[in-house]
Amino acid sequence: MFKTEPLKNADKEIFALINKETERQLETIRLIPSENYASTAVIEATGTSLINKYSEGYSGKRYYEGQEFIDQIENLTISRAKELFNTNYHFNIQPYSGSPANLAALLAMCSPGDTIMGLELSHGGHLTHGYKLSITGKIFKSVQYQVNKETGLLNYEDIRKIAVENKPKIIIAGFTAYPRQFDFNEFKKIADEVGAYLMADISHISALVASNIHSSPFGIADIITSTSHKSLRGPRGAFIACKPEFASKVDKAIIPGFQGGPHNNITAAMAVAFKEALQPEFKEYSKQIIKNSKVLSDELIKLGYKLITNGSDNHLILIDMVKSKNISGKTASSALIKTNIECNANTIPFDKRTPFDPSGIRLGTPAITTIGMKESDMRDVALFINETLENYDDNYELEKIKENVIDFMKKFTK
Ligand code: DSN
């Protein structure tokens, strides 16, 4: 029998757990830079009949029947993506998430055994940028560049030397933990000099790129990947954009190369998120992300924290907790979640500790900007962080701070 009971009747346990998670998100200062609050409209689109449909292939050329509306949804998503990034690049919006998008992009442009070059994981890169334990570090020959030891910044001359020495087939410009803006033109010069393709992974910064407040790889990079759920505030999905001449390679790398049917509910939710991102308010949100990040950095520095690169000019802040408070990143992040402040422990460049208990914590401002926090709120956020870390082993104090954090959050989420 086909049942159509609402979730709250059909499965009380899952319904209750989802509600608890929603409430937790509304009571927590959420500072993980890759997370956000998707709008009700985006969330609604993910929970629709579209999950019932298989759609292997692309619009107008699918393997299964019944694609009349799915094709229209996919076409609309792609046309909105082109408008958002103001580009004629080809878009494939079917990758399930960032890691599949990156692997498919690499498989589209390279063959197993080719040399790929990306930013080292502990210096702010991503697993899929060639880390040795990732499939991308196993099937390709991976060479990695680092940030400068003194400044924590990318040094394009150092990157150039590694590229000249190793002649990679592709250079990946992208990060998950780099607190500064970077220049895709500089990467392009290096890629051209050594005859490499340039791939940009803009997962973290796609909102900033779409809002023209970060250097854009469109018109420069051969291939671009991004998730749709970080600063861009969509559902958990991803896309690959490429110069039109690589369209067929990219589409074939996704299917039949790597995936089966796209998640049509996510495609539709991505279209909704792109429509939201095309509104003037989205640019204001993007600008505010950076303003908040700069002010939060300044406040933390005033409180004695040691930030990698001494600040931030994007959405992300990386703190050396060992130098700041002589505690590990994991000790800090575990204390912070006890007071409803959510961040993640993170390696810092040249870290001497392990990835599971590294020296740093990573903060970001997209989620708190979405709920309306402004520069004037950043002093409070910094003070809550500091109070927590000063009392990291005192559960009684932490409980009191948590109550204050919950009260503070009510200003934005009730
Ligand atoms: N997990 C993402 C992040 O937090 O940056 C990257 O995949």
Side-chain angles (χ1 to χ4, degrees):
M1 174 79 180
F2 178 54
K3 290 194 178 173
T4 55
E5 281 207 63
L7 181 62
K8 69 175 176 192
N9 298 339
D11 191 333
K12 291 188 174 33
E13 285 157 286
I14 286 294
F15 182 72
L17 287 169
I18 291 172
N19 282 342
K20 281 187 181 160
E21 171 59 16
T22 305
E23 197 181 328
R24 190 195 70 80
Q25 291 181 11
L26 298 177
E27 290 184 340
T28 300
I29 302 177
R30 298 180 58 228
L31 294 170
I32 294 176
S34 48
E35 294 186 353
N36 215 320
Y37 296 88
S39 71
T40 307
V42 167
I43 292 172
E44 201 180 317
T46 65
T48 54
S49 61
L50 302 182
I51 69 164
N52 297 333
K53 188 74 195 129
Y54 258 122
S55 308
E56 286 97 334
Y58 295 100
S59 181
K61 199 173 172 210
R62 310 264 188 195
Y63 290 88
Y64 298 177
E65 302 306 327
Q67 309 292 346
E68 181 186 352
F69 304 113
I70 300 297
D71 278 0
Q72 290 181 55
I73 289 169
E74 191 164 312
N75 290 340
L76 192 54
T77 310
I78 290 169
S79 66
R80 286 182 184 168
K82 289 185 175 188
E83 191 182 344
L84 181 61
F85 292 100
N86 191 22
T87 182
N88 68 347
Y89 273 40
H90 169 77
F91 273 79
N92 185 309
I93 49 68
Q94 296 193 1
Y96 298 144
S97 198
S99 295
N102 281 351
L103 182 54
L106 290 169
L107 288 170
M109 309 303 277
C110 306
S111 301
D114 284 346
T115 301
I116 65 169
M117 179 171 150
L119 179 59
E120 195 168 304
L121 182 65
S122 61
H123 286 240
H126 189 253
L127 290 167
T128 55
H129 297 172
Y131 181 58
K132 60 178 188 283
L133 299 180
S134 147
I135 184 89
T136 58
K138 292 184 183 196
I139 61 171
F140 301 110
K141 180 170 176 284
S142 170
V143 292
Q144 305 256 272
Y145 55 94
Q146 302 186 329
V147 296
N148 180 271
K149 193 160 191 177
E150 273 71 52
T151 61
L153 298 169
L154 292 174
N155 178 312
Y156 295 101
E157 187 44 35
D158 291 346
I159 296 168
R160 183 185 157 271
K161 278 186 196 146
I162 297 172
V164 168
E165 209 170 294
N166 292 281
K167 299 269 180 301
K169 182 88 180 277
I170 196 163
I171 298 175
I172 306 162
F175 66 86
T176 63
Y178 185 67
R180 297 292 177 177
Q181 300 218 5
F182 58 89
D183 193 341
F184 290 107
N185 276 309
E186 291 296 326
F187 276 101
K188 179 66 175 159
K189 279 188 221 155
I190 298 167
D192 283 350
E193 185 181 337
V194 301
Y197 292 126
L198 180 62
M199 168 171 158
D201 178 348
I202 58 167
S203 293
H204 267 256
I205 53 169
S206 45
L208 311 183
V209 170
S211 299
N212 286 319
I213 53 174
H214 191 292
S215 123
S216 170
F218 285 93
I220 298 172
D222 299 293
I223 187 158
I224 299 166
T225 57
S226 178
T227 47
S228 46
H229 49 270
K230 296 188 172 81
S231 56
L232 206 47
R233 224 162 47 183
R236 296 191 82 88
F239 59 82
I240 302 174
C242 63
K243 290 185 172 163
E245 62 264 37
F246 303 118
S248 162
K249 283 183 177 200
V250 165
D251 286 351
K252 284 185 185 145
I254 287 290
I255 179 167
F258 190 53
Q259 291 191 176
H263 295 171
N264 297 316
N265 58 327
I266 298 299
T267 306
M270 229 188 257
V272 176
F274 292 161
K275 184 173 180 182
E276 290 173 358
L278 281 161
Q279 309 311 311
E281 305 84 89
F282 192 81
K283 187 159 189 162
E284 293 312 308
Y285 148 79
S286 301
K287 285 186 192 159
Q288 192 64 47
I289 288 175
I290 295 183
K291 285 184 199 161
N292 285 348
S293 187
K294 281 181 188 292
V295 176
L296 183 56
S297 298
D298 291 346
E299 294 295 342
L300 288 165
I301 290 169
K302 278 191 224 158
L303 291 164
Y305 289 86
K306 306 287 179 248
L307 274 51
I308 305 302
T309 78
N310 295 319
S312 164
D313 53 24
N314 56 19
H315 66 301
L316 188 150
I317 298 166
L318 196 54
I319 308 177
D320 184 335
M321 283 312 311
V322 175
K323 278 198 186 143
S324 303
K325 289 267 175 245
N326 203 21
I327 56 174
S328 76
K330 190 70 183 169
T331 303
S333 66
S334 306
L336 286 162
I337 198 65
K338 288 185 184 167
T339 60
N340 277 24
I341 300 169
E342 191 175 26
C343 70
N344 67 280
N346 214 93
T347 49
I348 56 170
F350 307 96
D351 209 329
K352 295 198 177 66
R353 301 182 61 90
T354 62
F356 197 69
D357 190 11
S359 299
I361 57 172
R362 187 182 68 149
L363 315 177
T365 52
I368 58 173
T369 303
T370 291
I371 58 170
M373 288 196 200
K374 298 276 187 320
E375 292 97 309
S376 55
D377 303 304
M378 294 304 107
R379 173 86 183 147
D380 291 324
V381 172
L383 288 174
F384 282 132
I385 291 172
N386 187 47
E387 224 186 327
T388 302
L389 296 177
E390 300 256 287
N391 295 285
Y392 71 90
D393 54 358
D394 182 339
N395 282 335
Y396 177 74
E397 280 304 314
L398 295 181
E399 195 53 42
K400 285 199 294 188
I401 300 164
K402 177 180 172 175
E403 293 309 314
N404 293 334
V405 168
I406 291 174
D407 261 0
F408 173 73
M409 281 299 291
K410 283 185 187 143
K411 279 194 345 200
F412 308 98
T413 59
K414 284 286 173 217

